[in-house]
């Protein structure tokens, strides 16, 4: 199995609900370890740049407003098949369609306030990680889990 890295964001609704530790615990239980992590409040420019792919969509303005409305937890997760595993742990984007026991099923309010973001492909993972964590910074926070 391939060791991968993926970007994960605990969105403002997850931070506000106080579920940071529970979300990270689920990732760790699934074999994904945080190799970089920080709490930050995104600027309008950061949110617009990160979600630029959605700029033409009608929800873009609301998405940017939501993502700048409170602090977020930015993480780089590492593990075997990290991208697919992260998406499995998160659950479907719409919490009404998410499987039982997933983060979105358990903590999300609706399709907009869905608690977490995760990269959806290796290419997007590389781009998204580089957006928030320059490679040197990721290596600076790297650690090996003791088992």
């Amino acid at each position: 199995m391939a060791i991968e890295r993926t970007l994960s964001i605990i969105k403002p609704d997850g931070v506000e609900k106080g579920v940071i530790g529970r979300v990270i615990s689920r990732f760790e239980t699934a074999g994904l370890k945080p190799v970089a992590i920080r709490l930050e409040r995104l600027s309008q420019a950061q949110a617009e740049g990160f979600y630029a792919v959605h700029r033409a969509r009608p929800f873009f303005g609301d998405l940017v407003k939501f993502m700048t409305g409170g602090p977020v937890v930015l993480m780089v997760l590492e593990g075997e098949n990290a991208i697919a595993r992260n998406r499995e742990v998160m659950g479907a984007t719409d919490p009404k369609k998410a499987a039982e026991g997933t983060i979105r099923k358990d903590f999300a309010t609706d399709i907009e306030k869905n608690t977490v973001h995760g990269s959806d492909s290796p290419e997007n993972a590389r781009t998204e990680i580089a957006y928030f964590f320059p490679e040197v910074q990721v290596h600076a926070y790297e650690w090996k889990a003791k088992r």
Side-chain angles (χ1 to χ4, degrees):
M1 298 233 169
I3 300 295
E4 296 176 328
R5 286 184 173 169
T6 188
L7 182 78
S8 177
I9 301 174
I10 302 175
K11 296 179 179 183
D13 60 312
V15 174
E16 184 179 329
K17 289 175 184 172
V19 297
I20 296 169
R22 289 190 274 176
V23 169
I24 293 172
S25 177
R26 290 192 185 194
F27 290 135
E28 290 179 318
T29 299
L32 300 171
K33 63 182 176 182
V35 295
I37 187 169
R38 75 173 181 270
L39 180 73
E40 183 173 323
R41 188 167 189 146
L42 299 182
S43 69
Q44 175 125 359
Q46 280 178 305
E48 287 176 350
F50 185 73
Y51 289 107
V53 67
H54 299 302
R55 187 173 303 279
R57 297 213 164 113
F59 61 82
F60 179 74
D62 289 337
L63 176 60
V64 169
K65 183 177 178 181
F66 168 62
M67 291 300 292
T68 58
V72 298
V73 176
L74 302 165
M75 294 181 281
V76 177
L77 301 175
E78 182 180 84
E80 289 184 5
N81 295 314
I83 297 161
R85 186 168 290 175
N86 180 34
R87 297 191 67 75
E88 182 179 311
V89 173
M90 288 190 312
T93 304
D94 183 347
K96 292 176 188 165
K97 297 176 182 174
E100 292 296 326
T102 62
I103 292 169
R104 288 177 172 151
K105 183 69 167 185
D106 293 343
F107 303 124
T109 304
D110 56 44
I111 199 163
E112 289 181 357
K113 294 180 180 174
N114 62 8
T115 310
V116 286
H117 164 88
S119 305
D120 62 2
S121 69
E123 299 76 24
N124 284 343
R126 283 190 293 277
T127 301
E128 291 177 354
I129 289 168
Y131 191 83
F132 289 114
F133 293 95
E135 191 64 26
V136 67
Q137 193 174 13
V138 172
H139 287 297
Y141 289 102
E142 216 169 289
W143 59 277
K144 298 292 180 204
K146 294 179 183 174
R147 299 277 178 207

